[in-house]
Every structure is written in C-alpha cells, then in structure tokens.
Amino acid sequence: MNETSTPTTATTAGNQQISNDGVQKAIRNAEDMFHQAATVGGEKAAELRERAMEQLRVVREKLHDAQDTVVMKSKAAARATDDYVHDHPWKSIATAAAIGVVVGLLLNRR
C-alpha cells in the first residue's frame, strides 16, 4: 500500500476557515471600494476602482490556488484508494458488500 502524508481533518478545516475568512474579507473590501467609488468622482473614483479590481484579482488567485490544492489532494486520495484496493482486493470486496447490505437494510426499513 502506498501511504501518503495528509494533514489532519482539524488542520484542514482550520486552514479552510482561514482561507474562507480571508476571501470574505477581501470581497467585502472590494465591495466597499466600489461603493465609495460610486459616491465620489474623478481621480479618487478611478483609484478606488483600481484597488477594488486588485482585491478581486487577489481573491481569484487565492480561489485558484485552493482549487489546485483540492484537486491535488483528491488525486492523491484516489491513488491511495486504488493502491489499497489493488493490494487488498478481497478485503475491499467484503467491505463493499457489507456496506451494500447495511444500506439495503436501512432502505428496506423505510
């Protein structure tokens, strides 16, 4: 079996919360800048719009990085699962059958 090191669920959830908070803050800042730009005119409005667009670009980059991380971790999990199933085929079949029986029993109860 090919073992990969992955962060704990708590650490991953904490990082996700930090990322979500950062993204939300950046979006709020950009929205505030757009609202301010709407109330003022001239050079100040252009500067505020430019800063807001920069904030949105940063958010887009953070989301793209997060997407790349999720895709990479998903592929690693799929590889690890595939390796496990190849290394332990009968155990995998028995586990799948047991899950199928449990799901069937639960659905039959309704």
Side-chain angles (χ1 to χ4, degrees):
M1 182 167 106
N2 186 12
E3 292 188 27
T4 59
S5 61
T6 57
T8 63
T9 305
T11 303
T12 303
N15 290 342
Q16 183 178 3
Q17 184 61 38
I18 292 168
S19 296
N20 287 342
D21 291 345
V23 168
Q24 291 297 326
K25 182 179 177 185
I27 290 173
R28 278 193 302 274
N29 287 343
E31 287 174 344
D32 290 343
M33 287 179 211
F34 278 126
H35 289 301
Q36 291 174 6
T39 59
V40 296
E43 248 179 68
K44 182 74 172 172
E47 178 187 337
L48 288 170
R49 280 192 295 272
E50 189 173 314
R51 286 176 45 203
M53 291 301 291
E54 177 63 21
Q55 282 282 346
L56 292 175
R57 185 188 63 75
V58 169
V59 169
R60 187 177 333 130
E61 287 177 3
K62 285 182 181 181
L63 291 174
H64 182 70
D65 290 344
Q67 178 184 7
D68 289 344
T69 301
V70 168
V71 167
M72 187 174 57
K73 287 182 179 182
S74 297
K75 286 182 179 181
R79 267 190 249 96
T81 302
D82 187 54
D83 290 344
Y84 181 83
V85 169
H86 279 47
D87 291 344
H88 305 94
W90 290 109
K91 193 172 188 179
S92 300
I93 291 171
T95 302
I99 291 171
V101 168
V102 170
V103 169
L105 289 173
L106 289 174
L107 290 176
N108 200 21
R109 291 178 77 189
R110 292 183 181 193

XYZ file of all heavy atoms in Angstrom:
836
model
N 0.842 -1.170 0.000
C 0.000 0.000 0.000
C 0.887 1.232 0.000
O 1.843 1.338 0.730
C -0.892 -0.021 1.242
C -1.833 1.147 1.290
S -3.076 0.874 2.536
C -2.507 2.000 3.769
N 0.554 2.211 -0.797
C 1.310 3.443 -0.899
C 0.739 4.457 0.067
O -0.354 4.950 -0.111
C 1.230 3.953 -2.341
C 2.102 5.155 -2.565
O 2.931 5.483 -1.709
N 1.923 5.795 -3.697
N 1.501 4.774 1.116
C 0.998 5.695 2.120
C 1.424 7.105 1.760
O 2.544 7.347 1.350
C 1.530 5.330 3.507
C 0.967 4.024 4.000
C 1.332 3.770 5.446
O 1.544 4.743 6.184
O 1.396 2.610 5.820
N 0.488 8.038 1.918
C 0.791 9.434 1.680
C 0.512 10.200 2.950
O -0.366 9.845 3.722
C -0.073 10.012 0.545
O -1.453 9.869 0.904
C 0.200 9.311 -0.769
N 1.278 11.241 3.185
C 1.037 12.036 4.376
C 0.036 13.121 4.045
O 0.202 13.870 3.090
C 2.349 12.653 4.875
O 2.884 13.500 3.886
N -1.031 13.162 4.811
C -2.051 14.176 4.624
C -2.300 14.853 5.954
O -2.170 14.232 7.013
C -3.382 13.559 4.124
O -3.799 12.573 5.058
C -3.208 12.939 2.756
N -2.680 16.140 5.918
C -2.937 16.832 7.166
C -4.181 16.280 7.839
O -5.035 15.674 7.200
C -3.144 18.289 6.737
C -3.471 18.243 5.288
C -2.861 16.978 4.752
N -4.250 16.487 9.135
C -5.409 16.015 9.865
C -6.629 16.798 9.453
O -6.531 17.894 8.903
C -5.197 16.185 11.381
O -5.065 17.584 11.653
C -3.986 15.429 11.866
N -7.802 16.246 9.732
C -9.042 16.902 9.369
C -9.169 18.237 10.077
O -9.610 19.219 9.487
C -10.246 15.991 9.723
O -10.044 14.741 9.078
C -11.540 16.608 9.268
N -8.779 18.311 11.338
C -8.875 19.557 12.081
C -7.990 20.629 11.457
O -8.385 21.777 11.313
C -8.491 19.337 13.540
N -6.784 20.263 11.055
C -5.883 21.225 10.434
C -6.439 21.684 9.103
O -6.424 22.867 8.794
C -4.490 20.588 10.234
O -4.013 20.137 11.494
C -3.527 21.576 9.629
N -6.944 20.773 8.312
C -7.522 21.128 7.033
C -8.723 22.046 7.224
O -8.865 23.040 6.522
C -7.940 19.861 6.254
O -6.795 19.023 6.110
C -8.485 20.214 4.895
N -9.579 21.737 8.178
C -10.736 22.577 8.443
C -10.300 23.957 8.909
O -10.876 24.969 8.519
C -11.646 21.927 9.486
N -9.260 24.011 9.735
C -8.764 25.298 10.205
C -8.207 26.129 9.067
O -8.470 27.327 8.971
N -7.436 25.516 8.185
C -6.898 26.232 7.029
C -8.014 26.710 6.118
O -7.956 27.798 5.571
C -5.936 25.345 6.244
C -4.649 25.084 6.987
O -4.312 25.796 7.928
N -3.942 24.057 6.577
N -9.034 25.883 5.944
C -10.162 26.259 5.103
C -10.886 27.442 5.717
O -11.274 28.360 5.005
C -11.111 25.074 4.926
C -12.267 25.375 3.997
C -13.177 24.176 3.803
O -12.985 23.144 4.401
N -14.167 24.339 2.972
N -11.057 27.444 7.040
C -11.736 28.549 7.697
C -10.938 29.830 7.523
O -11.490 30.877 7.240
C -11.949 28.243 9.187
C -12.732 29.317 9.922
C -14.124 29.503 9.377
O -14.792 28.544 8.989
N -14.576 30.731 9.302
N -9.614 29.747 7.685
C -8.767 30.917 7.499
C -8.893 31.414 6.065
O -9.050 32.607 5.821
C -7.300 30.590 7.849
C -7.173 30.347 9.354
C -6.368 31.704 7.405
C -5.849 29.752 9.769
N -8.858 30.515 5.110
C -8.974 30.898 3.712
C -10.328 31.525 3.422
O -10.403 32.536 2.738
C -8.765 29.680 2.810
O -7.462 29.184 2.954
N -11.393 30.921 3.951
C -12.731 31.467 3.745
C -12.839 32.858 4.344
O -13.408 33.763 3.733
C -13.791 30.557 4.356
C -13.997 29.291 3.558
O -13.623 29.205 2.398
N -14.578 28.290 4.174
N -12.295 33.054 5.539
C -12.340 34.363 6.178
C -11.573 35.388 5.355
O -12.025 36.515 5.172
C -11.760 34.295 7.598
C -12.637 33.498 8.555
O -13.819 33.242 8.222
O -12.143 33.131 9.634
N -10.401 34.997 4.862
C -9.600 35.905 4.043
C -10.299 36.286 2.753
O -10.275 37.450 2.341
N -10.931 35.315 2.123
C -11.649 35.577 0.882
C -12.839 36.486 1.155
O -13.065 37.467 0.428
C -12.097 34.254 0.214
C -13.085 34.507 -0.906
C -10.887 33.492 -0.303
N -13.594 36.203 2.212
C -14.743 37.035 2.542
C -14.321 38.469 2.845
O -14.971 39.423 2.417
C -15.506 36.444 3.742
C -16.227 35.150 3.438
C -17.308 35.324 2.399
O -17.962 36.343 2.327
N -17.482 34.305 1.566
N -13.230 38.626 3.579
C -12.741 39.963 3.917
C -12.326 40.721 2.657
O -12.654 41.903 2.497
C -11.565 39.852 4.886
C -11.024 41.180 5.330
C -9.870 41.016 6.304
C -9.294 42.365 6.689
N -8.114 42.239 7.534
N -11.617 40.050 1.767
C -11.172 40.691 0.528
C -12.361 41.107 -0.332
O -12.364 42.191 -0.927
C -10.242 39.766 -0.245
N -13.379 40.263 -0.394
C -14.578 40.597 -1.173
C -15.293 41.796 -0.556
O -15.712 42.714 -1.261
C -15.512 39.378 -1.292
C -14.876 38.332 -2.207
C -16.882 39.794 -1.827
C -15.628 37.016 -2.262
N -15.424 41.806 0.792
C -16.065 42.951 1.459
C -15.282 44.236 1.194
O -15.872 45.285 0.927
C -16.173 42.704 2.959
C -17.362 41.848 3.359
C -17.613 41.898 4.865
N -16.455 41.460 5.643
C -16.184 40.192 5.955
N -16.991 39.238 5.554
N -15.123 39.888 6.671
N -13.950 44.151 1.262
C -13.122 45.336 0.991
C -13.341 45.846 -0.429
O -13.460 47.051 -0.654
C -11.642 45.024 1.220
C -11.294 44.885 2.674
O -12.026 45.307 3.561
N -10.142 44.282 2.941
N -13.375 44.928 -1.380
C -13.590 45.325 -2.773
C -14.968 45.949 -2.950
O -15.117 46.971 -3.638
C -13.432 44.116 -3.692
N -15.991 45.370 -2.313
C -17.336 45.930 -2.400
C -17.374 47.331 -1.802
O -17.984 48.244 -2.381
C -18.338 45.032 -1.672
C -18.646 43.750 -2.398
C -19.537 42.808 -1.585
O -19.664 43.009 -0.356
O -20.090 41.881 -2.185
N -16.716 47.517 -0.660
C -16.665 48.839 -0.036
C -16.009 49.856 -0.959
O -16.471 50.998 -1.080
C -15.914 48.782 1.300
C -16.683 48.045 2.382
O -17.915 47.855 2.227
O -16.044 47.640 3.385
N -14.923 49.429 -1.604
C -14.227 50.334 -2.512
C -15.100 50.708 -3.702
O -15.108 51.858 -4.139
C -12.917 49.702 -2.978
C -11.858 49.667 -1.919
S -10.356 48.889 -2.563
C -9.722 48.141 -1.081
N -15.856 49.740 -4.227
C -16.753 50.047 -5.340
C -17.855 51.008 -4.899
O -18.214 51.933 -5.628
C -17.366 48.764 -5.927
C -16.468 48.063 -6.902
C -16.153 46.726 -6.732
C -15.943 48.714 -8.002
C -15.324 46.064 -7.630
C -15.111 48.072 -8.906
C -14.797 46.738 -8.722
N -18.401 50.810 -3.693
C -19.434 51.721 -3.177
C -18.863 53.123 -2.983
O -19.519 54.113 -3.318
C -20.012 51.193 -1.862
C -20.879 49.986 -2.029
N -22.010 49.975 -2.817
C -20.770 48.736 -1.515
C -22.561 48.780 -2.782
N -21.823 47.997 -2.002
N -17.649 53.214 -2.455
C -17.018 54.518 -2.278
C -16.756 55.176 -3.625
O -16.935 56.384 -3.778
C -15.714 54.383 -1.500
C -15.895 54.013 -0.053
C -14.559 53.740 0.640
O -13.490 53.943 0.056
N -14.620 53.266 1.874
N -16.341 54.386 -4.588
C -16.072 54.921 -5.923
C -17.351 55.457 -6.560
O -17.312 56.423 -7.322
C -15.450 53.857 -6.814
N -18.488 54.850 -6.236
C -19.757 55.304 -6.789
C -20.175 56.649 -6.201
O -20.874 57.423 -6.860
C -20.843 54.268 -6.532
N -19.746 56.944 -4.967
C -20.160 58.189 -4.321
C -19.203 59.344 -4.592
O -19.589 60.495 -4.437
C -20.294 57.999 -2.795
O -19.043 57.577 -2.257
C -21.369 56.973 -2.471
N -17.958 59.051 -4.960
C -17.005 60.114 -5.267
C -16.720 60.096 -6.760
O -17.030 59.136 -7.459
C -15.678 59.953 -4.473
C -15.926 60.075 -2.996
C -14.971 58.671 -4.809
N -16.140 61.140 -7.236
C -15.876 61.200 -8.668
C -14.413 61.439 -8.953
O -13.580 61.559 -8.066
N -14.107 61.483 -10.219
C -12.784 61.850 -10.680
C -11.717 60.821 -10.400
O -11.926 59.610 -10.488
N -10.533 61.356 -10.045
C -9.371 60.508 -9.825
C -9.547 59.566 -8.651
O -9.090 58.427 -8.677
C -8.131 61.389 -9.576
C -7.118 61.317 -10.672
C -5.933 62.212 -10.379
O -5.193 61.905 -9.430
O -5.784 63.207 -11.098
N -10.204 60.033 -7.607
C -10.421 59.208 -6.410
C -11.247 57.970 -6.774
O -10.953 56.868 -6.328
C -11.117 60.036 -5.327
C -11.342 59.309 -4.048
C -10.072 59.130 -3.272
C -10.402 58.552 -1.905
N -9.235 58.174 -1.161
N -12.268 58.156 -7.594
C -13.109 57.021 -8.009
C -12.292 56.028 -8.828
O -12.403 54.815 -8.639
C -14.313 57.510 -8.808
N -11.473 56.532 -9.726
C -10.648 55.643 -10.549
C -9.672 54.862 -9.675
O -9.463 53.660 -9.883
C -9.896 56.456 -11.596
N -9.090 55.541 -8.684
C -8.157 54.864 -7.779
C -8.873 53.787 -6.962
O -8.357 52.664 -6.801
C -7.522 55.878 -6.825
C -6.569 55.261 -5.828
C -6.084 56.268 -4.788
O -6.110 57.475 -5.059
O -5.697 55.796 -3.700
N -10.065 54.091 -6.464
C -10.828 53.112 -5.678
C -11.219 51.914 -6.527
O -11.142 50.770 -6.078
C -12.060 53.767 -5.053
C -11.785 54.720 -3.894
C -13.051 55.487 -3.532
C -11.262 53.957 -2.689
N -11.646 52.163 -7.759
C -11.999 51.051 -8.652
C -10.780 50.180 -8.943
O -10.875 48.960 -8.965
C -12.607 51.574 -9.956
C -14.070 51.948 -9.843
C -14.693 52.175 -11.209
N -14.120 53.321 -11.902
C -14.535 54.580 -11.800
N -15.562 54.859 -11.020
N -13.961 55.545 -12.484
N -9.634 50.818 -9.140
C -8.419 50.062 -9.412
C -8.029 49.206 -8.206
O -7.653 48.034 -8.354
C -7.277 51.025 -9.758
C -6.040 50.324 -10.260
C -4.995 51.310 -10.740
O -5.357 52.253 -11.471
O -3.831 51.115 -10.373
N -8.137 49.763 -7.000
C -7.817 48.994 -5.796
C -8.804 47.838 -5.608
O -8.416 46.731 -5.206
C -7.827 49.904 -4.571
C -6.603 50.796 -4.519
C -6.608 51.787 -3.378
N -7.006 51.228 -2.112
C -7.499 51.955 -1.112
N -7.654 53.253 -1.241
N -7.837 51.380 0.021
N -10.071 48.093 -5.913
C -11.079 47.035 -5.790
C -10.799 45.914 -6.786
O -10.912 44.727 -6.445
C -12.481 47.602 -6.008
N -10.419 46.281 -8.003
C -10.106 45.261 -9.002
C -8.888 44.446 -8.573
O -8.846 43.236 -8.776
C -9.862 45.905 -10.376
C -11.122 46.498 -10.991
S -12.438 45.287 -11.215
C -11.746 44.293 -12.498
N -7.921 45.101 -7.944
C -6.747 44.385 -7.444
C -7.157 43.396 -6.350
O -6.684 42.265 -6.325
C -5.708 45.379 -6.908
C -4.489 44.726 -6.314
C -3.665 43.918 -7.299
O -3.777 44.141 -8.522
O -2.897 43.055 -6.857
N -8.048 43.833 -5.452
C -8.547 42.937 -4.395
C -9.227 41.715 -5.016
O -9.013 40.587 -4.575
C -9.554 43.667 -3.492
C -8.933 44.579 -2.498
C -8.355 43.820 -1.313
O -8.637 42.651 -1.102
N -7.507 44.493 -0.563
N -10.044 41.943 -6.026
C -10.741 40.829 -6.681
C -9.758 39.903 -7.394
O -9.943 38.691 -7.407
C -11.787 41.355 -7.651
C -12.971 42.062 -6.987
C -13.887 42.666 -8.044
C -13.742 41.118 -6.084
N -8.684 40.467 -7.961
C -7.664 39.637 -8.597
C -6.984 38.744 -7.564
O -6.766 37.551 -7.797
C -6.618 40.509 -9.299
C -5.594 39.708 -10.090
C -4.458 40.562 -10.607
N -3.677 41.162 -9.534
C -2.789 40.515 -8.768
N -2.584 39.218 -8.950
N -2.120 41.128 -7.826
N -6.707 39.310 -6.391
C -6.088 38.537 -5.310
C -7.016 37.404 -4.875
O -6.589 36.266 -4.672
C -5.723 39.452 -4.118
C -5.345 38.647 -2.904
C -4.601 40.399 -4.511
N -8.309 37.713 -4.737
C -9.290 36.688 -4.346
C -9.340 35.582 -5.390
O -9.348 34.395 -5.055
C -10.687 37.315 -4.148
C -11.751 36.247 -4.015
C -10.690 38.220 -2.925
N -9.350 35.967 -6.654
C -9.392 34.978 -7.741
C -8.170 34.066 -7.670
O -8.282 32.847 -7.833
C -9.455 35.678 -9.090
C -9.672 34.720 -10.236
C -9.804 35.382 -11.597
N -10.295 36.720 -11.562
C -9.705 37.750 -12.195
N -8.625 37.570 -12.904
N -10.221 38.962 -12.120
N -6.988 34.639 -7.407
C -5.776 33.838 -7.295
C -5.844 32.884 -6.097
O -5.443 31.722 -6.205
C -4.546 34.739 -7.166
C -4.169 35.422 -8.461
C -2.987 36.363 -8.292
O -2.417 36.440 -7.184
O -2.637 37.030 -9.279
N -6.361 33.371 -4.964
C -6.489 32.508 -3.784
C -7.435 31.344 -4.063
O -7.164 30.208 -3.681
C -7.005 33.304 -2.586
C -5.979 34.191 -1.956
C -6.556 34.898 -0.742
C -5.550 35.813 -0.102
N -6.098 36.488 1.088
N -8.550 31.642 -4.723
C -9.501 30.580 -5.044
C -8.902 29.582 -6.032
O -9.126 28.377 -5.914
C -10.797 31.177 -5.592
C -11.636 31.944 -4.580
C -12.820 32.609 -5.283
C -12.114 31.039 -3.464
N -8.128 30.075 -6.984
C -7.476 29.183 -7.945
C -6.468 28.286 -7.227
O -6.399 27.075 -7.494
C -6.796 29.998 -9.042
C -6.143 29.170 -10.096
N -6.857 28.422 -11.002
C -4.842 28.931 -10.366
C -6.025 27.772 -11.792
N -4.792 28.062 -11.416
N -5.701 28.864 -6.307
C -4.739 28.066 -5.537
C -5.458 27.016 -4.694
O -5.014 25.870 -4.597
C -3.894 28.961 -4.626
C -2.927 29.836 -5.412
O -2.693 29.553 -6.607
O -2.424 30.814 -4.820
N -6.585 27.416 -4.081
C -7.354 26.466 -3.273
C -7.892 25.336 -4.145
O -7.875 24.165 -3.748
C -8.501 27.178 -2.564
N -8.348 25.678 -5.346
C -8.854 24.660 -6.260
C -7.741 23.687 -6.633
O -7.955 22.470 -6.644
C -9.411 25.322 -7.519
C -9.909 24.325 -8.549
C -10.366 24.998 -9.830
O -10.208 26.198 -10.014
N -10.930 24.217 -10.722
N -6.558 24.213 -6.930
C -5.431 23.353 -7.270
C -5.093 22.407 -6.125
O -4.816 21.222 -6.335
C -4.197 24.184 -7.619
C -4.336 24.905 -8.955
O -5.235 24.544 -9.743
O -3.546 25.844 -9.198
N -5.131 22.933 -4.894
C -4.829 22.115 -3.718
C -5.853 21.001 -3.560
O -5.499 19.853 -3.300
C -4.793 22.988 -2.448
O -3.799 24.004 -2.630
C -4.475 22.171 -1.219
N -7.129 21.343 -3.723
C -8.186 20.341 -3.579
C -8.052 19.263 -4.648
O -8.172 18.067 -4.355
C -9.582 21.011 -3.641
C -10.684 19.978 -3.799
C -9.813 21.856 -2.395
N -7.777 19.661 -5.864
C -7.619 18.689 -6.953
C -6.430 17.771 -6.673
O -6.520 16.548 -6.820
C -7.463 19.403 -8.315
C -6.982 18.449 -9.395
C -8.778 20.049 -8.714
N -5.323 18.366 -6.218
C -4.129 17.574 -5.940
C -4.391 16.568 -4.810
O -4.026 15.397 -4.913
C -2.969 18.506 -5.559
C -1.646 17.812 -5.400
S -0.267 18.947 -5.115
C -0.797 19.813 -3.650
N -5.046 17.024 -3.734
C -5.335 16.130 -2.609
C -6.342 15.057 -3.002
O -6.245 13.912 -2.552
C -5.841 16.928 -1.416
C -4.748 17.725 -0.749
C -5.254 18.465 0.465
C -4.138 19.238 1.129
N -4.594 19.930 2.336
N -7.304 15.407 -3.842
C -8.285 14.421 -4.303
C -7.617 13.338 -5.144
O -7.927 12.149 -5.002
C -9.382 15.102 -5.125
O -10.090 16.019 -4.341
N -6.714 13.757 -6.003
C -5.994 12.774 -6.823
C -5.134 11.870 -5.960
O -5.050 10.662 -6.206
C -5.142 13.481 -7.869
C -5.949 14.074 -9.003
C -5.067 14.731 -10.035
C -5.904 15.292 -11.169
N -5.062 15.917 -12.202
N -4.504 12.437 -4.932
C -3.684 11.625 -4.027
C -4.559 10.625 -3.275
O -4.177 9.461 -3.104
C -2.937 12.523 -3.042
N -5.741 11.061 -2.829
C -6.649 10.151 -2.130
C -7.130 9.045 -3.067
O -7.231 7.875 -2.663
C -7.838 10.927 -1.567
N -7.418 9.397 -4.306
C -7.864 8.393 -5.278
C -6.748 7.383 -5.551
O -7.008 6.178 -5.632
C -8.299 9.074 -6.574
N -5.508 7.875 -5.658
C -4.383 6.962 -5.876
C -4.200 6.026 -4.686
O -3.960 4.824 -4.848
C -3.092 7.749 -6.112
C -2.820 8.005 -7.573
C -1.426 8.575 -7.765
N -1.513 9.938 -8.172
C -1.444 11.080 -7.430
N -1.217 11.096 -6.342
N -1.569 12.251 -7.870
N -4.303 6.582 -3.480
C -4.139 5.764 -2.277
C -5.237 4.712 -2.196
O -4.979 3.553 -1.848
C -4.157 6.644 -1.031
N -6.462 5.089 -2.535
C -7.573 4.135 -2.536
C -7.347 3.055 -3.579
O -7.561 1.863 -3.311
C -8.900 4.872 -2.811
O -9.081 5.880 -1.816
C -10.078 3.925 -2.790
N -6.919 3.455 -4.756
C -6.652 2.490 -5.823
C -5.552 1.513 -5.415
O -5.682 0.302 -5.622
C -6.256 3.228 -7.100
C -6.143 2.295 -8.291
O -7.118 1.567 -8.566
O -5.066 2.292 -8.932
N -4.503 2.051 -4.804
C -3.411 1.177 -4.336
C -3.918 0.197 -3.283
O -3.584 -0.991 -3.314
C -2.261 2.009 -3.758
C -1.509 2.780 -4.817
O -1.659 2.460 -6.018
O -0.770 3.722 -4.442
N -4.732 0.672 -2.357
C -5.247 -0.192 -1.294
C -6.110 -1.303 -1.888
O -5.988 -2.468 -1.498
C -6.052 0.618 -0.276
C -6.581 -0.242 0.837
C -5.775 -0.556 1.922
C -7.871 -0.767 0.791
C -6.241 -1.361 2.941
C -8.342 -1.575 1.805
C -7.527 -1.865 2.882
O -7.994 -2.674 3.877
N -6.990 -0.930 -2.818
C -7.878 -1.928 -3.426
C -7.061 -2.962 -4.200
O -7.372 -4.156 -4.148
C -8.922 -1.245 -4.331
C -9.681 -2.260 -5.173
C -9.901 -0.437 -3.487
N -5.998 -2.526 -4.869
C -5.154 -3.484 -5.595
C -4.375 -4.372 -4.639
O -4.155 -5.554 -4.930
C -4.192 -2.749 -6.527
C -4.812 -2.325 -7.815
N -6.036 -1.700 -7.897
C -4.377 -2.441 -9.097
C -6.322 -1.445 -9.147
N -5.337 -1.889 -9.903
N -3.957 -3.813 -3.513
C -3.192 -4.596 -2.540
C -4.079 -5.543 -1.719
O -3.620 -6.577 -1.257
C -2.426 -3.676 -1.589
C -1.302 -2.932 -2.285
O -0.923 -3.332 -3.403
O -0.806 -1.935 -1.712
N -5.344 -5.176 -1.511
C -6.269 -5.965 -0.686
C -7.608 -6.134 -1.395
O -8.641 -5.629 -0.936
C -6.501 -5.271 0.662
C -5.245 -4.974 1.411
N -4.591 -3.780 1.325
C -4.524 -5.746 2.252
C -3.520 -3.803 2.084
N -3.443 -4.991 2.663
N -7.653 -6.879 -2.508
C -8.902 -6.956 -3.287
C -10.050 -7.636 -2.539
O -11.183 -7.152 -2.595
C -8.502 -7.740 -4.539
C -7.263 -8.485 -4.159
C -6.584 -7.658 -3.126
N -9.777 -8.732 -1.838
C -10.863 -9.448 -1.176
C -11.395 -8.663 0.015
O -12.595 -8.658 0.290
C -10.426 -10.851 -0.752
C -10.234 -11.729 -1.954
C -9.060 -12.195 -2.450
C -11.261 -12.186 -2.831
N -9.283 -12.917 -3.588
C -10.638 -12.935 -3.843
C -12.639 -12.029 -2.876
C -11.336 -13.520 -4.881
C -13.345 -12.625 -3.906
C -12.698 -13.363 -4.893
N -10.531 -8.000 0.708
C -10.963 -7.162 1.827
C -11.842 -6.020 1.301
O -12.845 -5.656 1.919
C -9.732 -6.611 2.554
C -10.024 -5.999 3.883
C -8.713 -5.661 4.597
C -8.963 -5.233 6.017
N -7.709 -4.933 6.717
N -11.474 -5.465 0.171
C -12.258 -4.383 -0.431
C -13.624 -4.876 -0.876
O -14.637 -4.190 -0.686
C -11.502 -3.797 -1.629
O -10.255 -3.292 -1.230
N -13.654 -6.066 -1.460
C -14.932 -6.646 -1.898
C -15.827 -6.914 -0.694
O -17.030 -6.610 -0.712
C -14.696 -7.933 -2.718
C -14.055 -7.572 -4.060
C -15.991 -8.709 -2.935
C -13.570 -8.762 -4.857
N -15.254 -7.448 0.367
C -16.043 -7.734 1.571
C -16.573 -6.440 2.201
O -17.730 -6.379 2.632
C -15.191 -8.493 2.583
N -15.749 -5.421 2.233
C -16.188 -4.129 2.786
C -17.315 -3.551 1.948
O -18.320 -3.064 2.493
C -14.999 -3.145 2.843
O -13.962 -3.714 3.636
C -15.417 -1.816 3.420
N -17.172 -3.577 0.636
C -18.219 -3.057 -0.243
C -19.512 -3.849 -0.073
O -20.615 -3.272 -0.035
C -17.754 -3.093 -1.690
N -19.407 -5.160 0.045
C -20.601 -5.993 0.239
C -21.267 -5.672 1.571
O -22.502 -5.570 1.648
C -20.221 -7.472 0.174
N -20.473 -5.504 2.620
C -21.034 -5.177 3.937
C -21.745 -3.834 3.900
O -22.849 -3.690 4.450
C -19.932 -5.175 4.994
N -21.149 -2.873 3.249
C -21.793 -1.557 3.131
C -23.087 -1.685 2.337
O -24.109 -1.090 2.693
C -20.834 -0.541 2.491
C -19.693 -0.224 3.458
C -21.565 0.738 2.092
C -18.589 0.606 2.855
N -23.066 -2.473 1.277
C -24.275 -2.690 0.486
C -25.386 -3.331 1.297
O -26.549 -2.954 1.186
N -25.029 -4.298 2.136
C -26.033 -4.953 2.990
C -26.619 -3.950 3.978
O -27.834 -3.881 4.166
C -25.412 -6.167 3.725
C -26.339 -6.673 4.821
C -25.107 -7.277 2.732
N -25.768 -3.168 4.605
C -26.246 -2.181 5.581
C -27.160 -1.158 4.907
O -28.245 -0.845 5.423
C -25.057 -1.484 6.290
C -25.517 -0.295 7.108
C -24.314 -2.472 7.165
N -26.753 -0.640 3.767
C -27.585 0.331 3.039
C -28.899 -0.320 2.629
O -29.990 0.268 2.763
C -26.831 0.894 1.817
C -27.768 1.687 0.918
C -25.676 1.771 2.266
N -28.858 -1.566 2.147
C -30.074 -2.275 1.779
C -31.017 -2.461 2.954
O -32.228 -2.275 2.840
N -30.461 -2.816 4.118
C -31.288 -2.967 5.319
C -31.912 -1.642 5.737
O -33.085 -1.593 6.111
C -30.459 -3.549 6.454
C -30.052 -5.021 6.307
C -29.095 -5.415 7.424
C -31.286 -5.918 6.302
N -31.136 -0.580 5.679
C -31.661 0.730 6.053
C -32.759 1.194 5.098
O -33.779 1.742 5.531
C -30.520 1.763 6.095
C -29.531 1.622 7.228
C -28.391 2.614 7.065
C -30.217 1.830 8.574
N -32.559 0.960 3.819
C -33.587 1.358 2.832
C -34.826 0.482 2.960
O -35.954 0.947 2.706
C -33.019 1.275 1.417
C -31.966 2.333 1.070
C -31.409 2.072 -0.319
C -32.556 3.731 1.142
N -34.643 -0.770 3.321
C -35.771 -1.689 3.453
C -36.621 -1.360 4.672
O -37.814 -1.676 4.704
C -35.233 -3.119 3.533
C -36.289 -4.138 3.188
O -37.287 -3.798 2.534
N -36.093 -5.365 3.622
N -36.043 -0.717 5.671
C -36.773 -0.364 6.907
C -37.807 0.724 6.647
O -38.774 0.843 7.357
C -35.805 0.115 7.976
C -34.928 -0.988 8.506
C -33.959 -0.457 9.507
N -34.636 -0.237 10.790
C -34.106 0.373 11.822
N -32.887 0.860 11.723
N -34.766 0.532 12.948
N -37.603 1.523 5.661
C -38.498 2.657 5.404
C -39.722 2.203 4.756
O -40.506 1.930 4.298
C -37.805 3.698 4.526
C -36.683 4.353 5.286
C -36.051 5.415 4.468
N -34.957 5.995 5.228
C -34.358 7.085 4.926
N -34.724 7.758 3.875
N -33.387 7.546 5.639
